[in-house]
Amino acid sequence: MNDVVSRRDELLMNAKMVRSLLLQHEKQKKFCASQKKIRVFFGGNRTGKTVAGAQEVVRYVFGIHEHRKVVAPVEIWCACPSYDLQLDTTQKKLQELIPPSRIRDITYAKKNVWGRVELDNGSVITFKSYEMGREKFQGAGKRLIWFDEEPPRDVWEECFVRVDASIPLDIIMTMTPVNGMTWVYNEIYLNTSNNDIEVISATWEDNPWLTSEEKDRMTRGLTADALIVRREGKFIQRTGLVCNWFTRSAHIINQMYRDPAWNIYRIIDFGWNTSKTCVLWIGLDSFDRAYVFDGIYANMVDDDDLAKMIKEREATFRVARCWADSQPDRINSLKKNGVYCESVKKTAGEGNWDTFRAESMFRFGNINPVTGQTSFFISSALTMYDHDTNQEVNWFMKELESLRWKERRTSMGMVSKPEWDKDNCPIKGAHFDAIDCFSYFAAMVNRKSAKYADTMASDREETVPTRARVVNPLVGF
């Protein structure tokens, strides 16, 4: 009798799963029916894009796709920005669709977060985080890869070179373009000539289950720009990541060595307890390409110790100019210790300071669409030990991938502002201090200061050899 009841319950759960797969609005149906190898679902919040992605995963793992040939068992990757987000997005939707009785085994990436799920038919779903980096996305033999929200470009590209000749690979992406006009805009959204790509866009109006009251509630307090992104799923600037031009593959250099021909700039952002004291040494070559080849990134560093650390780093090369955050007392304290710098001029003409800094950094970091080249590079050696993840992390890279434009929550909703959201730095005891340093450099590098040049020439002893030796920036980290 118990076997009969269990079998009946299993059949009911399977029937519920199939019904859930059929419950789709027109844009979700179009996404499912597309025969393209790459399918991208751009949608605003609550347009059903994540549900559509989860439904596709279930169709593949059970071999029940109504529009393409899928033979189970299969291997699938589900990837999203972080494991914390996975718990409330991709994993939650899959838990709603997959009957528990069909799950044979679960391996957890962290508490309550799925890392690998094996089903009773042998299909395997592996969950990945963009934070893991490109190297963790190596491995062929996948039948489907699902990107929920925009991945870094190098992660996206890595998945295309891992194709098994005997297994067809389909790729789906479901996302709201909150990061602005990134590589996805140019290479996918506008790439209408690629016959392997189909783009489906959905707005709130495409979701028949979204009530007028819910739409009104989500609309209240949104600026016109934010509303375009969150209601219509369209690309726009000034929302999402400030440094949306940054990619690891284009901007990070392994074993970067200082070129004696560079003009060297030292940039300082003062900190203490709740923010880092950050110093960046940036080399500028004859083509105005900037190389961040060395740095200091630490809490609780007093000015005496900071001056000593700076002098040790600069024992073999000359600094052309130095700018520091506008703290006269600390600038004077460094001067007493023989370290000279001038205050950053925090002016932006008629514009906003954060917008001006973002545009200044963009001019260096943007990847030229014609040449595919950038004018900004950072050393892979700018690392620190992260006790939360128990691994070395590149602190500058972590900041570049995390700083967002501020979206201020009010009683009426969410408002996007042309202001950096510096209260949510992923590194403990930091306040996006490395980005502050680089933005000071980008904003100030072309401003003239004859007085400062004269001060540097007269106050600093000429002890630096004419042609400094090349220093490996790995030393000292």
Side-chain angles (χ1 to χ4, degrees), residues 27-259:
K27 291 298 178 68
Q28 290 171 324
K29 291 178 181 177
K30 183 178 180 181
F31 180 70
C32 172
S34 171
Q35 296 298 302
K36 304 289 185 172
K37 294 185 66 64
I38 302 169
R39 293 170 285 159
V40 184
F41 194 127
F42 293 111
N45 299 114
R46 302 287 305 279
T47 56
K49 59 189 183 301
T50 302
V51 171
Q55 289 175 330
E56 283 299 284
V57 170
V58 172
R59 290 185 177 94
Y60 276 72
V61 292
F62 291 117
I64 54 174
H65 207 293
E66 57 267 46
H67 297 290
R68 59 180 66 211
K69 183 179 180 180
V70 179
V71 180
V74 296
E75 291 187 44
I76 291 178
W77 281 351
C78 295
C80 68
S82 71
Y83 281 129
D84 290 335
L85 286 175
Q86 172 190 311
L87 191 61
D88 295 322
T89 54
T90 55
Q91 180 176 322
K92 181 179 179 181
K93 298 304 179 186
L94 289 172
Q95 285 175 313
E96 293 172 355
L97 291 171
I98 300 175
S101 63
R102 302 297 303 270
I103 298 175
R104 178 184 296 164
D105 182 62
I106 299 176
T107 301
Y108 291 90
K110 56 189 294 187
K111 186 177 180 181
N112 298 324
V113 178
W114 287 353
R116 181 180 184 275
V117 174
E118 182 179 353
L119 303 178
D120 59 357
N121 67 350
S123 288
V124 174
I125 308 171
T126 301
F127 294 83
K128 292 183 174 289
S129 161
Y130 302 156
E131 294 177 338
M132 300 165 69
R134 177 177 189 151
E135 292 77 13
K136 298 299 182 180
F137 284 81
Q138 296 176 354
K142 308 301 173 287
R143 184 63 180 85
L144 176 71
I145 298 176
W146 173 26
F147 295 101
D148 188 52
E149 300 305 342
E150 177 184 331
R153 178 197 267 150
D154 55 352
V155 168
W156 174 267
E157 291 174 344
E158 185 66 35
C159 293
F160 283 91
V161 299
R162 302 291 166 181
V163 180
D164 189 314
S166 64
I167 301 175
L169 171 64
D170 296 327
I171 293 179
I172 60 175
M173 178 162 64
T174 54
M175 62 169 282
T176 300
V178 295
N179 292 335
M181 294 180 178
T182 63
W183 67 271
V184 172
Y185 178 75
N186 292 313
E187 298 179 22
I188 296 179
Y189 186 75
L190 297 180
N191 193 2
T192 57
S193 62
N194 191 328
N195 292 325
D196 288 332
I197 299 175
E198 176 152 2
V199 169
I200 290 95
S201 298
T203 71
W204 289 352
E205 301 307 316
D206 292 307
N207 184 352
W209 301 286
L210 192 60
T211 67
S212 299
E213 291 76 13
E214 289 175 309
K215 295 175 187 176
D216 291 341
R217 177 174 53 79
M218 291 190 293
T219 299
R220 287 195 294 269
L222 285 177
T223 64
D225 285 351
L227 193 58
I228 291 173
V229 175
R230 299 187 178 279
R231 180 181 64 189
E232 302 177 30
K234 292 184 177 180
F235 289 85
I236 198 167
Q237 294 180 343
R238 303 298 172 224
T239 306
L241 292 174
V242 173
C243 302
N244 55 21
W245 42 264
F246 176 78
T247 65
R248 299 183 186 186
S249 58
H251 294 100
I252 293 181
I253 294 180
N254 293 320
Q255 297 183 327
M256 181 189 289
Y257 294 92
R258 179 173 56 81
D259 187 336

Side-chain angles (χ1 to χ4, degrees), residues 32 69 72 128 144 147 155 192 212 220 246 282 306 309 316 322-323 337 389 402 422 459:
C32 172
K69 183 179 180 180
K128 292 183 174 289
L144 176 71
F147 295 101
V155 168
T192 57
S212 299
R220 287 195 294 269
F246 176 78
I282 303 176
L306 181 59
M309 295 165 69
T316 57
C322 172
W323 291 288
N337 284 280
T389 61
S402 303
K422 298 183 67 177
D459 286 340

